[in-house]
Amino acid sequence: MTESAAKTPWRKPHRTGSGALSIMQPACREPHRSTEVENREMSAADFLFAPEVQKLLMVAYAAPQQPLSSSELAHRSKLDAADVERTLAHLVGSGILKKQKPKAEEAETFSIDRAFIFHDELRNIALKSFAAAEPVRAMLRGKFKASVVRAFVLAEDEDGTLELLVVHGQSMPDEATLAAACRKLSKNIHRHLKVHVISNAKFNGLTPRDALMPKPAALEIIKLGDTKAPLPVEKVGLLQSARKKLATLSRSSA
């Protein structure tokens, strides 16, 4: 980024003529700038793909009601101070984060601005991707691909805790290994995890009244076929077995 581009003022988010969400756009044009720079516009997707933005929003959405200083954000996101300060300026300027004035000698703090016009939209995008779904999916498809057949993010509470449902096939994930992996993941995404593990047979037997039955708002992060985990072998009853044998004998004698 050139020095002139770095100093370009930014407007708050708005809808473009095509209906797309524009997170940031130069507020004015500077003389002698190329057409490419003059017409540059950062869409919501482009904005969220920036690694610094994703790391800071992952921390902020994990603790939506907790104001954090820039130094604490840098520590949790593992970004250097300069990147944090620059990215915070854009996030505050766009209305995604809000800045609280410091008290006495305390440092100024930042938190999610729930009044942001696209707060729910942006939060859902983050939850379905970098802030929750993607890291949980990567963990389960990595260490537990031989046992997990389906997985869901059932809900997220006000404190950012994620409730997960893990469905296993023939084999059940090792309890100690899964617990250790969840602790590591919890630390990396800065969220508490509440994990339920059930068999595929039990999942298929859930009814809408069951607390673990995924609601329409739940995120299915691993679907059948996404992993190499084999499904349990169906138990065949005596009557069904007899019918199959009779059918086989009938075909043989025909």
Side-chain angles (χ1 to χ4, degrees):
M1 181 182 291
T2 63
E3 183 179 355
S4 60
K7 293 181 179 178
T8 304
W10 297 90
R11 289 177 182 165
K12 288 195 173 184
H14 64 285
R15 290 286 185 186
T16 63
S18 61
L21 167 60
S22 174
I23 295 291
M24 292 181 177
Q25 181 179 341
C28 61
R29 295 182 177 180
E30 298 179 11
H32 309 300
R33 299 180 72 192
S34 68
T35 303
E36 179 182 356
V37 175
E38 288 180 341
N39 294 333
R40 183 181 57 194
E41 183 176 271
M42 187 177 285
S43 68
D46 295 331
F47 184 66
L48 290 178
F49 276 129
E52 298 85 0
V53 171
Q54 290 191 2
K55 289 180 179 180
L56 284 184
L57 287 183
M58 179 184 288
V59 173
Y61 280 123
Q65 302 184 51
Q66 181 182 359
L68 300 169
S69 66
S70 59
S71 60
E72 181 62 22
L73 285 167
H75 173 71
R76 295 191 185 189
S77 64
K78 295 181 172 59
L79 292 171
D80 63 49
D83 285 339
V84 170
E85 292 293 341
R86 182 172 58 253
T87 307
L88 281 175
H90 288 325
L91 290 172
V92 172
S94 65
I96 297 173
L97 297 184
K98 59 183 177 181
K99 179 167 58 176
Q100 286 84 24
K101 293 182 179 180
K103 297 179 181 179
E105 297 181 356
E106 296 180 0
E108 62 183 8
T109 56
F110 304 84
S111 61
I112 293 293
D113 190 349
R114 294 178 181 272
F116 174 53
I117 187 172
F118 299 113
H119 169 266
D120 291 341
E121 181 179 0
L122 194 58
R123 174 185 163 278
N124 287 335
I125 292 173
L127 187 66
K128 292 177 181 179
S129 54
F130 62 86
E134 287 178 359
V136 173
R137 183 187 298 114
M139 182 267 286
L140 293 175
R141 292 183 66 176
K143 292 187 176 182
F144 306 99
K145 61 184 178 183
S147 56
V148 174
V149 294
R150 301 184 76 172
F152 300 81
V153 176
L154 295 178
E156 177 196 28
D157 68 15
E158 288 295 320
D159 296 324
T161 297
L162 295 179
E163 185 174 9
L164 308 178
L165 174 62
V166 176
V167 182
H168 69 82
Q170 280 188 21
S171 61
M172 183 176 179
D174 180 75
E175 186 176 351
T177 304
L178 180 60
C182 287
R183 284 194 298 269
K184 182 178 180 181
L185 177 64
S186 177
K187 183 178 179 181
N188 290 339
I189 66 175
H190 316 286
R191 291 173 181 266
H192 294 297
L193 301 178
K194 182 179 180 181
V195 184
H196 309 277
V197 181
I198 63 174
S199 67
N200 188 63
K202 184 173 182 179
F203 176 80
N204 290 335
L206 293 177
T207 69
R209 293 183 178 182
D210 292 314
L212 294 182
M213 183 67 175
K215 303 297 187 291
L219 303 176
E220 185 170 12
I221 56 177
I222 292 182
K223 300 181 179 181
L224 284 174
D226 284 353
T227 67
K228 297 180 180 179
L231 290 170
V233 178
E234 293 184 10
K235 294 181 179 180
V236 181
L238 291 176
L239 181 59
Q240 188 176 357
S241 177
R243 286 175 177 172
K244 285 186 176 181
K245 288 181 179 180
L246 181 61
T248 302
L249 291 173
S250 299
R251 287 195 298 268
S252 300
S253 60

